[in-house]
Amino acid sequence: MTVIEAPQQRSAWLSAQPVALIRENARTRSITLQVPGWPGHRPGQHLDLRLTAEDGYQAARSYSIASVARGDLITITVERVENGEVSPYLVDELQVGDRLDVRGPIGGHFVWTAEQGGPVLLVAGGSGVVPLMSMVRHRFEIGSDIPITLLYSLRAPQDLIYGAELAQRHAAADGLQVLLTYTREVPAQWRGYRRRIDRAMLAEAMGPAGPEGHAFVCGSAPFVEAVAEPLIQLGYPVERVKTERFGPSGERT
Amino acid sequence: MTNVSRGFRGRQQATREDTRVPPGQYVTTEFPVLSAGPTPRTPLSQWDFTVEAEGEREPLVRWSWDEFRALPSEAITRDIHCVTRWSKLDTRWRGVSLDTLLDAAGVELPFLVAHCDGGYTTNLPWEDVTGGRAWIVYDYEGQPLAPEHGGPARLLVPHLYFWKSAKWVRGLRLASQDDPGFWEVLGYHNHGDPFKEQRYDGD
Protein backbone atom coordinates (compact mmCIF):
# COMPACT_ATOMS: atom_id res chain seq x y z
CA MET A 1 0.00 0.00 0.00
CA THR A 2 1.12 3.52 -0.69
CA VAL A 3 1.88 6.01 1.99
CA ILE A 4 0.71 9.36 0.78
CA GLU A 5 2.22 11.79 3.21
CA ALA A 6 4.28 12.12 6.34
CA PRO A 7 2.39 11.84 9.62
CA GLN A 8 0.41 14.85 10.66
CA GLN A 9 1.41 16.69 13.78
CA ARG A 10 -0.67 16.70 16.91
CA SER A 11 -3.95 18.41 16.26
CA ALA A 12 -5.54 20.41 19.06
CA TRP A 13 -9.26 21.00 19.54
CA LEU A 14 -10.24 24.17 17.72
CA SER A 15 -13.21 26.40 18.38
CA ALA A 16 -15.81 26.16 15.59
CA GLN A 17 -18.87 28.25 14.84
CA PRO A 18 -21.60 27.34 12.34
CA VAL A 19 -21.97 30.11 9.76
CA ALA A 20 -24.33 28.41 7.29
CA LEU A 21 -26.82 25.54 7.58
CA ILE A 22 -28.26 23.87 4.51
CA ARG A 23 -31.09 21.34 4.68
CA GLU A 24 -30.12 18.62 2.20
CA ASN A 25 -33.10 16.36 2.88
CA ALA A 26 -35.40 15.48 5.78
CA ARG A 27 -32.67 13.61 7.65
CA THR A 28 -29.56 15.42 6.50
CA ARG A 29 -28.06 18.84 6.70
CA SER A 30 -24.82 20.46 5.72
CA ILE A 31 -23.10 22.63 8.28
CA THR A 32 -20.47 25.15 7.27
CA LEU A 33 -18.15 25.84 10.17
CA GLN A 34 -15.76 28.69 10.62
CA VAL A 35 -12.71 27.23 12.32
CA PRO A 36 -9.94 29.78 12.97
CA GLY A 37 -6.62 27.95 12.71
CA TRP A 38 -7.92 25.08 10.55
CA PRO A 39 -4.76 23.61 8.98
CA GLY A 40 -6.44 22.56 5.71
CA HIS A 41 -7.33 19.08 4.55
CA ARG A 42 -7.35 16.79 1.53
CA PRO A 43 -10.51 15.47 -0.16
CA GLY A 44 -11.79 12.37 1.65
CA GLN A 45 -10.46 13.23 5.10
CA HIS A 46 -12.66 13.60 8.17
CA LEU A 47 -12.69 15.46 11.45
CA ASP A 48 -13.66 14.84 15.04
CA LEU A 49 -16.46 17.04 16.33
CA ARG A 50 -17.08 17.49 20.04
CA LEU A 51 -20.12 18.81 21.90
CA THR A 52 -19.96 19.89 25.52
CA ALA A 53 -23.03 20.09 27.76
CA GLU A 54 -23.56 22.72 30.47
CA ASP A 55 -22.49 20.18 33.11
CA GLY A 56 -19.22 19.46 31.31
CA TYR A 57 -20.30 16.17 29.75
CA GLN A 58 -18.74 15.72 26.31
CA ALA A 59 -19.52 13.57 23.31
CA ALA A 60 -17.41 13.41 20.15
CA ARG A 61 -17.93 11.78 16.76
CA SER A 62 -16.13 11.64 13.42
CA TYR A 63 -17.67 13.27 10.33
CA SER A 64 -16.49 13.31 6.74
CA ILE A 65 -15.65 16.69 5.30
CA ALA A 66 -17.75 17.53 2.24
CA SER A 67 -15.95 20.67 1.14
CA VAL A 68 -12.57 21.54 -0.25
CA ALA A 69 -10.12 23.41 1.92
CA ARG A 70 -10.98 27.09 1.66
CA GLY A 71 -9.40 29.21 4.34
CA ASP A 72 -10.95 28.56 7.72
CA LEU A 73 -14.33 27.44 6.33
CA ILE A 74 -15.20 23.76 6.16
CA THR A 75 -18.48 22.00 5.47
CA ILE A 76 -19.61 18.71 6.93
CA THR A 77 -22.81 16.90 6.01
CA VAL A 78 -24.53 15.06 8.83
CA GLU A 79 -27.30 12.47 8.59
CA ARG A 80 -29.51 12.00 11.64
CA VAL A 81 -29.00 8.61 13.28
CA GLU A 82 -32.28 7.83 15.07
CA ASN A 83 -31.63 7.70 18.82
CA GLY A 84 -28.12 8.97 18.19
CA GLU A 85 -26.53 11.17 20.79
CA VAL A 86 -24.80 13.73 18.58
CA SER A 87 -26.32 13.70 15.09
CA PRO A 88 -29.91 14.68 16.08
CA TYR A 89 -28.50 17.77 17.79
CA LEU A 90 -26.44 18.68 14.73
CA VAL A 91 -29.25 18.08 12.25
CA ASP A 92 -32.17 19.57 14.21
CA GLU A 93 -30.96 21.89 16.98
CA LEU A 94 -27.69 23.54 16.05
CA GLN A 95 -28.03 27.19 14.99
CA VAL A 96 -25.78 29.73 13.34
CA GLY A 97 -23.69 31.33 16.06
CA ASP A 98 -23.59 28.32 18.38
CA ARG A 99 -20.23 26.96 19.47
CA LEU A 100 -18.57 23.57 19.33
CA ASP A 101 -15.08 22.10 18.97
CA VAL A 102 -13.40 20.22 16.13
CA ARG A 103 -9.99 18.67 15.51
CA GLY A 104 -8.40 17.30 12.40
CA PRO A 105 -8.02 16.59 9.62
CA ILE A 106 -7.96 12.84 10.26
CA GLY A 107 -7.30 9.95 7.91
CA GLY A 108 -4.77 9.87 5.10
CA HIS A 109 -5.79 6.75 3.20
CA PHE A 110 -9.25 7.41 1.77
CA VAL A 111 -7.95 10.51 -0.01
CA TRP A 112 -7.84 11.64 -3.62
CA THR A 113 -6.15 14.71 -5.03
CA ALA A 114 -5.56 15.50 -8.68
CA GLU A 115 -1.82 14.76 -8.28
CA GLN A 116 -2.76 11.09 -7.90
CA GLY A 117 -4.19 11.15 -11.42
CA GLY A 118 -7.17 9.32 -12.81
CA PRO A 119 -9.56 8.29 -14.07
CA VAL A 120 -11.51 8.05 -10.84
CA LEU A 121 -14.55 5.92 -10.09
CA LEU A 122 -16.49 7.01 -7.01
CA VAL A 123 -19.18 4.68 -5.69
CA ALA A 124 -21.52 6.01 -3.01
CA GLY A 125 -24.22 4.33 -0.97
CA GLY A 126 -26.58 6.88 0.61
CA SER A 127 -24.75 9.35 2.83
CA GLY A 128 -21.51 7.68 1.77
CA VAL A 129 -21.50 10.33 -0.94
CA VAL A 130 -20.17 12.93 1.52
CA PRO A 131 -16.38 12.35 1.37
CA LEU A 132 -16.69 11.61 -2.36
CA MET A 133 -18.32 15.02 -2.85
CA SER A 134 -15.18 16.59 -1.44
CA MET A 135 -13.22 14.87 -4.24
CA VAL A 136 -15.69 16.07 -6.89
CA ARG A 137 -15.51 19.63 -5.56
CA HIS A 138 -11.71 19.48 -5.46
CA ARG A 139 -11.63 18.58 -9.17
CA PHE A 140 -13.68 21.66 -10.01
CA GLU A 141 -11.89 23.90 -7.57
CA ILE A 142 -8.53 23.35 -9.25
CA GLY A 143 -9.90 23.11 -12.79
CA SER A 144 -8.69 19.55 -13.34
CA ASP A 145 -9.80 17.64 -16.43
CA ILE A 146 -9.34 14.21 -14.85
CA PRO A 147 -12.42 12.11 -15.70
CA ILE A 148 -14.52 11.22 -12.66
CA THR A 149 -17.58 9.00 -12.61
CA LEU A 150 -19.78 9.09 -9.53
CA LEU A 151 -22.11 6.11 -9.21
CA TYR A 152 -24.53 6.97 -6.43
CA SER A 153 -27.02 4.47 -5.02
CA LEU A 154 -30.13 5.72 -3.22
CA ARG A 155 -33.17 4.04 -1.81
CA ALA A 156 -35.61 6.76 -2.83
CA PRO A 157 -35.69 10.27 -4.36
CA GLN A 158 -36.11 11.89 -0.95
CA ASP A 159 -32.73 10.47 0.12
CA LEU A 160 -30.80 12.45 -2.49
CA ILE A 161 -28.28 14.97 -1.21
CA TYR A 162 -26.32 17.48 -3.31
CA GLY A 163 -28.89 16.84 -6.07
CA ALA A 164 -28.87 20.27 -7.68
CA GLU A 165 -25.09 20.64 -7.54
CA LEU A 166 -24.47 17.19 -9.00
CA ALA A 167 -27.00 17.79 -11.79
CA GLN A 168 -25.34 21.06 -12.66
CA ARG A 169 -21.83 19.64 -12.68
CA HIS A 170 -22.94 16.61 -14.71
CA ALA A 171 -24.71 18.83 -17.25
CA ALA A 172 -21.50 20.79 -17.80
CA ALA A 173 -20.28 17.61 -19.61
CA ASP A 174 -16.63 18.38 -18.97
CA GLY A 175 -15.56 15.02 -17.61
CA LEU A 176 -17.68 14.50 -14.51
CA GLN A 177 -20.33 11.87 -15.05
CA VAL A 178 -22.99 11.30 -12.39
CA LEU A 179 -24.98 8.05 -12.50
CA LEU A 180 -27.80 7.52 -10.03
CA THR A 181 -29.51 4.28 -9.18
CA TYR A 182 -32.66 4.02 -7.07
CA THR A 183 -33.19 0.73 -5.27
CA ARG A 184 -36.72 1.07 -3.82
CA GLU A 185 -38.55 4.03 -5.27
CA VAL A 186 -37.75 6.00 -8.42
CA PRO A 187 -38.58 9.60 -9.39
CA ALA A 188 -41.35 10.24 -11.93
CA GLN A 189 -40.30 9.52 -15.54
CA TRP A 190 -37.07 7.93 -14.33
CA ARG A 191 -35.05 6.36 -17.14
CA GLY A 192 -31.93 5.47 -15.21
CA TYR A 193 -30.91 2.48 -13.12
CA ARG A 194 -33.42 1.03 -10.69
CA ARG A 195 -31.55 -1.75 -8.93
CA ARG A 196 -28.77 -2.35 -6.45
CA ILE A 197 -25.27 -1.80 -7.81
CA ASP A 198 -23.99 -4.97 -9.47
CA ARG A 199 -21.08 -6.02 -11.60
CA ALA A 200 -22.74 -5.05 -14.87
CA MET A 201 -23.52 -1.57 -13.59
CA LEU A 202 -19.95 -1.10 -12.36
CA ALA A 203 -18.62 -2.23 -15.75
CA GLU A 204 -20.79 0.41 -17.43
CA ALA A 205 -19.68 3.05 -14.95
CA MET A 206 -16.01 2.23 -15.64
CA GLY A 207 -16.66 2.73 -19.32
CA PRO A 208 -14.03 2.12 -22.01
CA ALA A 209 -11.20 3.11 -19.63
CA GLY A 210 -11.76 -0.16 -17.76
CA PRO A 211 -10.23 -0.74 -14.32
CA GLU A 212 -7.74 2.10 -14.67
CA GLY A 213 -6.99 4.77 -12.10
CA HIS A 214 -8.56 4.78 -8.67
CA ALA A 215 -11.79 3.54 -7.15
CA PHE A 216 -13.27 4.87 -3.92
CA VAL A 217 -16.24 3.15 -2.30
CA CYS A 218 -18.14 4.64 0.63
CA GLY A 219 -21.34 3.49 2.30
CA SER A 220 -22.61 0.98 4.82
CA ALA A 221 -20.48 -2.09 5.47
CA PRO A 222 -22.73 -4.43 3.40
CA PHE A 223 -22.80 -1.87 0.57
CA VAL A 224 -19.01 -1.64 0.48
CA GLU A 225 -18.68 -5.42 0.48
CA ALA A 226 -21.18 -5.70 -2.39
CA VAL A 227 -19.26 -3.17 -4.49
CA ALA A 228 -15.60 -3.87 -3.68
CA GLU A 229 -15.82 -7.56 -4.55
CA PRO A 230 -17.06 -7.07 -8.15
CA LEU A 231 -14.56 -4.23 -8.66
CA ILE A 232 -11.77 -6.70 -7.95
CA GLN A 233 -13.38 -9.25 -10.28
CA LEU A 234 -13.53 -6.58 -12.99
CA GLY A 235 -9.79 -6.14 -12.73
CA TYR A 236 -9.12 -3.37 -10.24
CA PRO A 237 -5.94 -4.12 -8.28
CA VAL A 238 -6.77 -4.35 -4.56
CA GLU A 239 -4.46 -1.46 -3.69
CA ARG A 240 -6.41 0.89 -5.96
CA VAL A 241 -9.77 0.18 -4.34
CA LYS A 242 -10.11 2.30 -1.24
CA THR A 243 -13.07 1.89 1.05
CA GLU A 244 -14.75 3.68 3.90
CA ARG A 245 -17.50 1.85 5.78
CA PHE A 246 -20.13 3.42 7.98
CA GLY A 247 -20.96 1.10 10.84
CA PRO A 248 -24.65 0.95 11.81
CA SER A 249 -23.91 2.85 15.01
CA GLY A 250 -20.80 4.59 13.84
CA GLU A 251 -22.49 7.95 13.23
CA ARG A 252 -19.95 8.64 10.50
CA THR A 253 -22.36 11.13 8.92
CA MET B 1 -10.27 25.44 24.74
CA THR B 2 -13.73 24.05 25.23
CA ASN B 3 -16.98 25.53 24.04
CA VAL B 4 -20.26 24.71 25.75
CA SER B 5 -22.74 23.83 23.00
CA ARG B 6 -26.05 25.55 23.70
CA GLY B 7 -28.83 23.07 24.37
CA PHE B 8 -26.69 19.94 24.15
CA ARG B 9 -27.30 17.55 27.02
CA GLY B 10 -26.09 14.14 25.88
CA ARG B 11 -27.95 11.04 26.85
CA GLN B 12 -25.60 8.23 27.83
CA GLN B 13 -25.82 8.83 31.57
CA ALA B 14 -24.63 5.30 32.32
CA THR B 15 -21.51 5.77 30.22
CA ARG B 16 -20.45 8.76 32.28
CA GLU B 17 -20.02 6.75 35.45
CA ASP B 18 -18.78 3.49 33.99
CA THR B 19 -15.04 3.25 34.50
CA ARG B 20 -14.93 0.30 32.09
CA VAL B 21 -15.61 2.64 29.22
CA PRO B 22 -12.56 4.73 28.23
CA PRO B 23 -12.89 8.51 27.86
CA GLY B 24 -14.58 9.69 24.66
CA GLN B 25 -16.12 6.28 23.89
CA TYR B 26 -19.77 5.22 23.73
CA VAL B 27 -21.10 1.71 24.20
CA THR B 28 -22.68 -0.05 21.24
CA THR B 29 -24.29 -3.45 20.92
CA GLU B 30 -23.62 -3.49 17.17
CA PHE B 31 -20.33 -4.64 15.67
CA PRO B 32 -19.40 -1.94 13.15
CA VAL B 33 -16.96 -2.82 10.36
CA LEU B 34 -14.12 -0.47 9.44
CA SER B 35 -11.48 -1.49 6.92
CA ALA B 36 -9.35 0.45 4.48
CA GLY B 37 -9.91 -1.80 1.49
CA PRO B 38 -11.79 -4.77 0.09
CA THR B 39 -12.25 -7.87 2.25
CA PRO B 40 -9.58 -10.45 1.31
CA ARG B 41 -10.68 -14.06 0.96
CA THR B 42 -7.83 -16.53 1.31
CA PRO B 43 -8.90 -20.19 1.06
CA LEU B 44 -8.03 -22.13 4.20
CA SER B 45 -5.98 -24.55 2.08
CA GLN B 46 -3.66 -21.65 1.23
CA TRP B 47 -3.69 -20.01 4.64
CA ASP B 48 -0.67 -20.23 6.88
CA PHE B 49 0.67 -18.33 9.85
CA THR B 50 4.33 -17.52 10.28
CA VAL B 51 6.57 -15.87 12.84
CA GLU B 52 9.64 -14.25 11.29
CA ALA B 53 12.56 -12.39 12.82
CA GLU B 54 14.85 -9.76 11.34
CA GLY B 55 18.04 -11.24 9.94
CA GLU B 56 16.42 -14.64 9.41
CA ARG B 57 15.79 -15.70 5.85
CA GLU B 58 13.26 -18.38 6.72
CA PRO B 59 10.31 -18.06 9.08
CA LEU B 60 11.09 -19.31 12.57
CA VAL B 61 7.80 -21.22 12.64
CA ARG B 62 4.99 -21.84 10.20
CA TRP B 63 1.57 -23.40 10.78
CA SER B 64 -1.01 -24.49 8.23
CA TRP B 65 -4.67 -23.85 9.10
CA ASP B 66 -5.11 -27.35 10.46
CA GLU B 67 -1.90 -27.16 12.45
CA PHE B 68 -2.88 -23.77 13.82
CA ARG B 69 -6.28 -25.05 14.89
CA ALA B 70 -4.57 -27.91 16.71
CA LEU B 71 -2.61 -25.49 18.92
CA PRO B 72 -3.89 -25.03 22.47
CA SER B 73 -6.63 -22.40 22.43
CA GLU B 74 -8.44 -20.44 25.08
CA ALA B 75 -11.74 -18.65 25.52
CA ILE B 76 -11.35 -14.89 25.91
CA THR B 77 -13.97 -12.38 27.12
CA ARG B 78 -12.91 -8.75 26.84
CA ASP B 79 -14.18 -5.23 26.13
CA ILE B 80 -13.03 -3.76 22.82
CA HIS B 81 -12.58 -0.08 21.92
CA CYS B 82 -12.47 1.38 18.40
CA VAL B 83 -10.79 4.74 17.75
CA THR B 84 -13.98 5.78 15.89
CA ARG B 85 -15.42 5.93 19.44
CA TRP B 86 -17.52 2.83 19.84
CA SER B 87 -16.81 0.35 22.62
CA LYS B 88 -18.32 -3.08 22.88
CA LEU B 89 -18.42 -4.87 26.22
CA ASP B 90 -17.83 -8.53 27.02
CA THR B 91 -17.05 -9.73 23.50
CA ARG B 92 -16.30 -13.46 23.45
CA TRP B 93 -13.56 -14.99 21.32
CA ARG B 94 -11.54 -18.18 20.98
CA GLY B 95 -7.99 -18.35 19.79
CA VAL B 96 -4.33 -18.98 20.49
CA SER B 97 -2.31 -16.84 22.88
CA LEU B 98 0.65 -15.01 21.37
CA ASP B 99 2.64 -16.40 24.31
CA THR B 100 2.19 -19.86 22.76
CA LEU B 101 3.20 -18.69 19.28
CA LEU B 102 6.20 -16.66 20.39
CA ASP B 103 7.40 -19.44 22.69
CA ALA B 104 7.40 -21.74 19.69
CA ALA B 105 9.38 -19.19 17.66
CA GLY B 106 11.97 -19.00 20.41
CA VAL B 107 13.27 -15.49 19.65
CA GLU B 108 12.59 -12.40 21.75
CA LEU B 109 12.91 -8.92 20.24
CA PRO B 110 11.40 -5.68 21.60
CA PHE B 111 9.04 -4.93 18.69
CA LEU B 112 6.87 -6.73 16.22
CA VAL B 113 4.74 -5.99 13.17
CA ALA B 114 1.62 -7.98 12.33
CA HIS B 115 1.12 -8.40 8.60
CA CYS B 116 -2.10 -9.34 6.88
CA ASP B 117 -3.80 -10.34 3.67
CA GLY B 118 -4.57 -7.14 1.80
CA GLY B 119 -1.29 -5.52 2.87
CA TYR B 120 -2.38 -4.09 6.23
CA THR B 121 0.24 -3.87 8.96
CA THR B 122 0.31 -2.72 12.57
CA ASN B 123 3.19 -2.43 15.01
CA LEU B 124 3.24 -3.48 18.64
CA PRO B 125 5.78 -3.60 21.45
CA TRP B 126 6.66 -7.10 22.71
CA GLU B 127 5.44 -6.23 26.20
CA ASP B 128 1.94 -5.43 24.87
CA VAL B 129 1.45 -8.82 23.27
CA THR B 130 2.93 -11.15 25.89
CA GLY B 131 1.80 -12.14 29.35
CA GLY B 132 -1.73 -13.08 28.29
CA ARG B 133 -2.57 -9.78 26.56
CA ALA B 134 -2.89 -10.80 22.89
CA TRP B 135 -4.27 -13.65 20.82
CA ILE B 136 -4.83 -14.83 17.27
CA VAL B 137 -8.59 -15.50 17.33
CA TYR B 138 -10.73 -17.50 14.90
CA ASP B 139 -14.09 -17.75 16.70
CA TYR B 140 -16.36 -14.88 17.70
CA GLU B 141 -19.40 -15.47 19.93
CA GLY B 142 -19.15 -19.21 19.32
CA GLN B 143 -19.05 -18.98 15.52
CA PRO B 144 -16.19 -18.96 13.02
CA LEU B 145 -15.00 -15.37 12.62
CA ALA B 146 -16.76 -13.79 9.60
CA PRO B 147 -14.58 -12.43 6.76
CA GLU B 148 -15.73 -8.82 7.25
CA HIS B 149 -14.62 -9.02 10.88
CA GLY B 150 -11.22 -10.40 9.93
CA GLY B 151 -11.86 -14.10 9.40
CA PRO B 152 -10.47 -16.65 9.14
CA ALA B 153 -8.21 -15.21 11.86
CA ARG B 154 -7.40 -11.83 13.35
CA LEU B 155 -5.17 -10.44 16.01
CA LEU B 156 -6.90 -9.52 19.27
CA VAL B 157 -5.14 -6.98 21.50
CA PRO B 158 -8.13 -5.72 23.47
CA HIS B 159 -6.27 -3.30 25.76
CA LEU B 160 -5.32 -1.14 22.74
CA TYR B 161 -7.55 0.63 20.19
CA PHE B 162 -9.00 -1.93 17.84
CA TRP B 163 -7.01 -0.97 14.74
CA LYS B 164 -4.14 -2.78 16.49
CA SER B 165 -6.24 -5.98 16.39
CA ALA B 166 -5.38 -6.52 12.74
CA LYS B 167 -7.88 -8.39 10.58
CA TRP B 168 -6.88 -11.21 8.21
CA VAL B 169 -3.58 -11.60 10.03
CA ARG B 170 -1.06 -13.99 8.48
CA GLY B 171 2.07 -13.50 10.53
CA LEU B 172 4.27 -11.62 12.92
CA ARG B 173 7.69 -10.15 12.19
CA LEU B 174 10.00 -9.56 15.17
CA ALA B 175 12.44 -6.66 15.07
CA SER B 176 14.85 -4.71 17.23
CA GLN B 177 13.46 -1.37 15.99
CA ASP B 178 9.89 -0.09 16.03
CA ASP B 179 8.44 0.16 12.50
CA PRO B 180 5.12 2.05 12.38
CA GLY B 181 2.31 0.24 10.56
CA PHE B 182 -0.43 1.31 8.17
CA TRP B 183 -2.54 3.67 10.32
CA GLU B 184 0.40 4.57 12.53
CA VAL B 185 2.12 6.15 9.50
CA LEU B 186 -1.11 7.93 8.53
CA GLY B 187 -1.35 9.99 11.69
CA TYR B 188 -2.78 7.60 14.25
CA HIS B 189 -1.04 7.12 17.58
CA ASN B 190 1.88 4.71 17.67
CA HIS B 191 0.72 2.95 20.84
CA GLY B 192 -3.07 3.47 21.03
CA ASP B 193 -4.04 3.07 24.70
CA PRO B 194 -7.78 3.91 24.88
CA PHE B 195 -7.67 4.78 28.59
CA LYS B 196 -5.03 7.43 27.83
CA GLU B 197 -7.03 8.48 24.73
CA GLN B 198 -4.01 7.94 22.48
CA ARG B 199 -6.00 8.39 19.26
CA TYR B 200 -3.77 10.43 16.99
CA ASP B 201 -0.10 11.21 16.64
CA GLY B 202 0.91 13.47 19.51
CA ASP B 203 -2.01 12.64 21.86
Side-chain angles (χ1 to χ4, degrees):
Chain A
M1 297 204 185
T2 314
V3 173
I4 296 155
E5 195 173 85
Q8 62 202 44
Q9 295 307 304
R10 183 202 174 115
S11 67
W13 288 103
L14 299 170
S15 180
Q17 203 164 15
V19 293
L21 302 166
I22 298 162
R23 179 63 59 179
E24 301 283 0
N25 66 37
R27 293 197 316 276
T28 311
R29 91 172 164 181
S30 290
I31 301 166
T32 299
L33 297 167
Q34 183 155 35
V35 189
W38 180 253
H41 63 272
R42 290 174 295 151
Q45 288 189 291
H46 51 98
L47 54 71
D48 275 7
L49 180 152
R50 183 177 71 183
L51 301 177
T52 303
E54 292 279 352
D55 65 357
Y57 172 75
Q58 295 184 322
R61 299 289 186 274
S62 292
Y63 292 101
S64 293
I65 303 170
S67 62
V68 295
R70 192 177 282 165
D72 61 3
L73 294 178
I74 45 177
T75 303
I76 59 173
T77 302
V78 181
E79 182 177 43
R80 186 193 310 112
V81 176
E82 298 306 331
N83 301 314
E85 186 180 24
V86 173
S87 63
Y89 177 86
L90 295 177
V91 173
D92 302 322
E93 292 187 44
L94 187 74
Q95 296 173 10
V96 167
D98 284 345
R99 298 262 181 193
L100 44 85
D101 301 299
V102 300
R103 69 184 296 204
I106 296 158
H109 179 68
F110 194 84
V111 162
W112 179 78
T113 61
E115 294 90 76
Q116 287 164 250
V120 182
L121 176 61
L122 308 176
V123 188
S127 60
V129 73
V130 176
L132 306 179
M133 194 63 181
S134 178
M135 300 177 190
V136 168
R137 288 169 168 165
H138 163 74
R139 176 187 184 275
F140 280 84
E141 182 80 4
I142 65 162
S144 164
D145 59 2
I146 292 172
I148 294 184
T149 295
L150 170 64
L151 177 57
Y152 180 10
S153 176
L154 297 151
R155 275 174 298 195
Q158 60 266 28
D159 294 333
L160 183 65
I161 56 179
Y162 313 131
E165 183 179 344
L166 287 173
Q168 187 191 348
R169 295 192 190 284
H170 176 81
D174 73 341
L176 175 76
Q177 176 183 218
V178 180
L179 301 172
L180 301 182
T181 182
Y182 291 94
T183 57
R184 289 192 195 164
E185 202 182 303
V186 301
Q189 278 117 39
W190 180 247
R191 288 159 180 275
Y193 295 122
R194 48 179 78 210
R195 63 182 199 271
R196 287 167 185 265
I197 292 176
D198 54 25
R199 186 168 158 169
M201 198 187 295
L202 290 166
E204 287 170 22
M206 286 189 328
E212 293 296 315
H214 303 271
F216 293 85
V217 186
C218 188
S220 68
F223 176 86
V224 170
E225 293 295 322
V227 171
E229 191 77 20
L231 284 177
I232 303 298
Q233 291 165 6
L234 286 165
Y236 268 100
V238 171
E239 64 275 11
R240 286 201 267 109
V241 178
K242 292 183 176 164
T243 65
E244 186 122 295
R245 295 160 167 90
F246 294 164
S249 56
E251 288 208 331
R252 290 284 294 277
T253 60
Chain B
M1 171 88 205
T2 298
N3 285 304
V4 171
S5 298
R6 178 201 53 80
F8 175 68
R9 284 168 299 280
R11 66 173 165 78
Q12 291 195 335
Q13 199 66 39
T15 309
R16 303 188 193 191
E17 282 114 40
D18 193 340
T19 53
R20 277 175 77 176
V21 182
Q25 298 292 111
Y26 62 91
V27 174
T28 182
T29 54
E30 313 270 359
F31 194 173
V33 173
L34 293 163
S35 322
T39 299
R41 289 165 204 279
T42 300
L44 294 180
S45 60
Q46 288 165 31
W47 188 95
D48 64 2
F49 193 90
T50 57
V51 180
E52 300 166 282
E54 65 182 11
E56 301 284 339
R57 237 176 257 176
E58 294 296 316
L60 303 167
V61 277
R62 180 198 300 272
W63 293 276
S64 68
W65 177 254
D66 288 341
E67 290 164 344
F68 196 86
R69 290 300 309 259
L71 292 170
S73 69
E74 48 194 270
I76 307 126
T77 302
R78 290 289 189 284
D79 301 344
I80 56 175
H81 313 290
C82 179
V83 73
T84 63
R85 298 181 181 278
W86 56 265
S87 290
K88 194 167 167 60
L89 306 182
D90 294 323
T91 60
R92 298 186 302 127
W93 310 81
R94 175 166 286 280
V96 181
S97 170
L98 257 62
D99 293 317
T100 303
L101 303 174
L102 295 170
D103 276 353
V107 170
E108 179 169 344
L109 287 167
F111 299 101
L112 53 92
V113 171
H115 53 93
C116 307
D117 281 327
Y120 184 79
T121 58
T122 192
N123 57 311
L124 294 147
W126 175 275
E127 62 193 30
D128 275 284
V129 299
T130 50
R133 307 184 86 191
W135 298 265
I136 304 295
V137 292
Y138 40 69
D139 283 354
Y140 172 68
E141 300 292 342
Q143 300 292 323
L145 184 60
E148 63 267 30
H149 290 305
R154 77 180 296 164
L155 189 57
L156 178 68
V157 194
H159 70 284
L160 299 178
Y161 280 126
F162 214 45
W163 87 78
K164 293 284 187 182
S165 293
K167 295 175 183 176
W168 313 302
V169 68
R170 292 290 301 276
L172 306 171
R173 199 174 300 122
L174 308 174
S176 54
Q177 302 288 321
D178 196 14
D179 181 15
F182 180 80
W183 285 122
E184 291 82 2
V185 168
L186 289 172
Y188 285 78
H189 197 276
N190 197 52
H191 186 232
D193 182 340
F195 287 92
K196 295 178 180 164
E197 247 194 307
Q198 294 173 334
R199 296 178 188 277
Y200 312 120
D201 194 22
D203 278 353

